[in-house]
């Protein structure tokens, strides 16, 4: 029994990557069938609000140090919800529709590198002279991730599998009017989604400082994003028929994404991080790309290009280099004459617990809440 408990984090993380892959495939299938991305975001966040709000309420009920939301906290949470949820998911679903589920899954591996890049621009991440190896690893890993993303978008190479989709359901193509650049626009949208998610991670620094109740914060973000997506949907989708859920696929996507993607996933990932640390959880991210690509090839007959495979491989390798650099940075000794030191089990446990509340590549305290 004890041995099985030791394997639970491994089993949980593999199960979560399978869940990510299934959600990517279901969502793309529903988008190709004609579901509006904006309406999908509204329904998904509404379901997530219904799931998270009772959990947050009962978790904080009777707590003496319950957080109160002031006007400043309200503004920060509202802006963060728009960037991290509405804008992020809008770009993601546009990219998922225009490109493919396998490319969307591969692009998610860019998030640690993009987070490091934005944090460095904002001055939150600096090159440490005492840990030059780890700093260079993060820089080189970031370059490899970005280069791989460019390769996926521009150097597709020979097509390994053919498929054609109707692009009339894409808001981006309706604005641009050029269907010949479908793949490139999809990759740009997915890259923009990664930037939004990375910025969301960094914005958690001021948000959690003003409102440190993480479960309640997650519920408020789900609620605000529901309102924002609803308002945007009313402007973009004037036809009331578009709001009807006309197929079992659409209903399945909404409930799977809202309950499992925004509810169960939050608790499972938080539990795994508390047991093994954030880098253990991050190591499994590329597994979702492999599973998604395999399932998309079998069931959706998606376009697979040699250049896309090479670019995705570069992104995954770059991700591991960045993660290695960050893990080595945590071992830097304060003494200027020594570069590394060994930590005992107690110190490592404290470091892991503290790092749970940090963005993957920034040095400020936040908590990653998946919405």
């Amino acid at each position: 029994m004890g041995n099985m408990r030791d394997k639970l984090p491994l089993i949980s993380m593999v199960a979560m990557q399978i869940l990510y892959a299934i959600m990517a495939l279901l969502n793309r299938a529903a988008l190709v069938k004609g579901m509006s991305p904006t309406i999908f975001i509204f329904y998904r966040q509404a379901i997530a609000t219904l799931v998270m709000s009772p959990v947050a309420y009962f978790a904080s009920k009777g707590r003496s140090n319950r957080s109160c939301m002031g006007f400043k906290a309200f503004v920060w949470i509202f802006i963060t919800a728009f960037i991290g949820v509405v804008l992020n998911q809008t770009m993601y679903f546009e990219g998922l529709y225009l490109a493919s589920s396998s490319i969307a899954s591969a692009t998610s591996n860019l998030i640690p590198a993009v987070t490091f890049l934005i944090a460095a621009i904002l001055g939150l991440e600096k090159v440490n002279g005492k840990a030059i190896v780890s700093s260079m690893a993060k820089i080189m890993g970031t370059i490899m991730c970005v280069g791989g993303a460019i390769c996926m978008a521009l150097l597709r190479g020979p097509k390994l599998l053919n498929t054609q989709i109707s692009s009339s359901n894409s808001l981006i193509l309706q604005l641009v009017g050029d269907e010949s650049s479908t793949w490139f626009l999809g990759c740009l949208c997915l890259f923009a989604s990664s930037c939004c998610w990375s910025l969301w991670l960094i914005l958690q620094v001021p948000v959690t400082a003003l409102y440190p109740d993480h479960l309640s914060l997650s519920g408020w973000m789900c609620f605000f994003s529901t309102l924002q997506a609803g308002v945007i949907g009313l402007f973009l989708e004037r036809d009331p028929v578009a709001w009807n859920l006309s197929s079992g696929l659409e209903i399945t996507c909404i409930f799977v994404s809202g309950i499992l993607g925004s509810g169960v996933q939050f608790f499972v990932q938080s539990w795994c991080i508390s047991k093994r640390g954030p880098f253990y959880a991050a190591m499994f991210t590329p597994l979702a790309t492999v599973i998604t690509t395999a399932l998309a090839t079998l069931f959706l007959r998606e376009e697979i290009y040699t250049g896309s495979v090479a670019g995705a491989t570069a992104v995954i390798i770059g991700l591991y280099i960045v993660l290695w650099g960050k893990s080595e940075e945590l071992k830097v000794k304060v003494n200027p004459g020594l570069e590394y030191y060994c930590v005992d089990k107690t110190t490592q446990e404290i470091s892991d617990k503290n790092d749970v509340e940090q963005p993957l590549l920034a040095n400020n305290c936040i908590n990653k809440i998946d919405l």
Side-chain angles (χ1 to χ4, degrees):
M1 183 65 68
N3 190 27
M4 178 57 67
R5 278 199 297 267
D6 293 337
K7 294 180 179 179
L8 277 179
L10 171 64
I11 297 173
S12 300
M13 289 310 303
V14 172
M16 292 313 302
Q17 304 313 310
I18 296 175
L19 174 62
Y20 292 149
I22 293 175
M23 283 196 301
L25 266 63
L26 284 176
N27 293 339
R28 176 167 167 78
L31 292 171
V32 171
K33 291 292 184 180
M35 184 172 63
S36 168
T38 306
I39 295 177
F40 173 71
I41 295 171
F42 169 77
Y43 282 126
R44 168 178 171 158
Q45 292 309 120
I47 295 296
T49 302
L50 294 177
V51 172
M52 293 301 300
S53 297
V55 174
Y57 174 77
F58 288 108
S60 61
K61 190 176 182 180
R63 191 187 304 169
S64 58
N65 58 342
R66 295 177 65 178
S67 300
C68 296
M69 183 186 299
F71 178 74
K72 189 175 182 180
F74 168 82
V75 172
W76 275 103
I77 295 173
F78 191 86
I79 294 174
T80 304
F82 177 76
I83 294 175
V85 182
V86 179
L87 189 58
N88 168 38
Q89 291 189 11
T90 299
M91 291 293 100
Y92 174 79
F93 289 124
E94 285 288 344
L96 178 66
Y97 179 76
L98 294 174
S100 67
S101 54
S102 56
I103 295 300
S105 179
T107 309
S108 65
N109 295 295
L110 282 170
I111 293 174
V114 175
T115 305
F116 167 69
L117 188 61
I118 296 177
I121 294 174
L122 297 177
L124 302 175
E125 187 82 22
K126 294 181 174 62
V127 176
N128 189 346
K130 300 174 184 178
I132 190 66
V133 175
S134 61
S135 297
M136 290 303 298
K138 291 192 294 182
I139 293 173
M140 294 304 298
T142 300
I143 294 174
M144 183 170 290
C145 283
V146 175
I150 294 174
C151 180
M152 285 190 293
L154 300 179
L155 305 177
R156 294 195 291 176
K159 185 183 296 185
L160 302 179
L161 194 63
N162 293 311
T163 185
Q164 295 291 333
I165 64 169
S166 172
S167 301
S168 59
N169 193 42
S170 171
L171 175 64
I172 300 295
L173 278 184
Q174 289 176 9
L175 296 175
V176 176
D178 181 13
E179 296 194 9
S180 63
S181 56
T182 299
W183 183 276
F184 179 70
L185 288 174
C187 291
L188 284 182
C189 289
L190 292 171
F191 181 74
S193 172
S194 297
C195 291
C196 289
W197 184 253
S198 298
L199 187 58
W200 181 86
L201 289 174
I202 294 174
L203 286 174
Q204 296 302 296
V205 177
V207 170
T208 54
L210 294 169
Y211 198 84
D213 188 342
H214 301 304
L215 270 177
S216 180
L217 175 62
S218 179
W220 279 114
M221 284 193 179
C222 288
F223 175 69
F224 287 150
S225 60
T226 302
L227 296 180
Q228 293 164 351
V231 171
I232 294 174
L234 289 176
F235 279 98
L236 298 180
E237 298 291 345
R238 301 296 180 91
D239 185 5
V241 179
W243 292 81
N244 296 335
L245 301 178
S246 57
S247 68
L249 177 61
E250 294 179 354
I251 297 175
T252 301
C253 287
I254 289 171
F255 276 89
V256 169
S257 299
I259 297 176
L260 298 182
S262 298
V264 175
Q265 186 274 340
F266 166 72
F267 294 104
V268 172
Q269 183 165 316
S270 298
W271 177 79
C272 288
I273 290 176
S274 68
K275 293 295 183 181
R276 298 292 176 87
F279 301 111
Y280 180 84
M283 284 194 315
F284 288 87
T285 305
L287 181 60
T289 302
V290 177
I291 297 174
T292 303
T293 302
L295 294 179
T297 303
L298 291 175
F299 296 105
L300 297 185
R301 304 291 295 175
E302 283 190 351
E303 295 176 335
I304 303 295
Y305 296 89
T306 54
S308 301
V309 173
T313 303
V315 169
I316 293 173
I317 295 174
L319 167 68
Y320 281 126
I321 294 176
V322 171
L323 293 177
W324 178 86
K326 184 62 179 177
S327 64
E328 289 298 307
E329 187 179 74
L330 294 177
K331 301 177 184 178
V332 174
K333 186 173 175 59
V334 177
N335 291 341
L338 298 176
E339 185 176 4
Y340 299 110
Y341 75 108
C342 296
V343 295
D344 57 24
K345 183 176 180 180
T346 303
T347 305
Q348 184 62 48
E349 289 176 355
I350 294 174
S351 174
D352 285 343
K353 290 179 181 178
N354 289 337
D355 198 54
V356 171
E357 299 181 351
Q358 296 183 12
L360 196 55
L361 295 171
N363 295 325
N364 298 288
C365 179
I366 68 165
N367 182 49
K368 180 180 177 182
I369 304 175
D370 186 80
L371 300 176

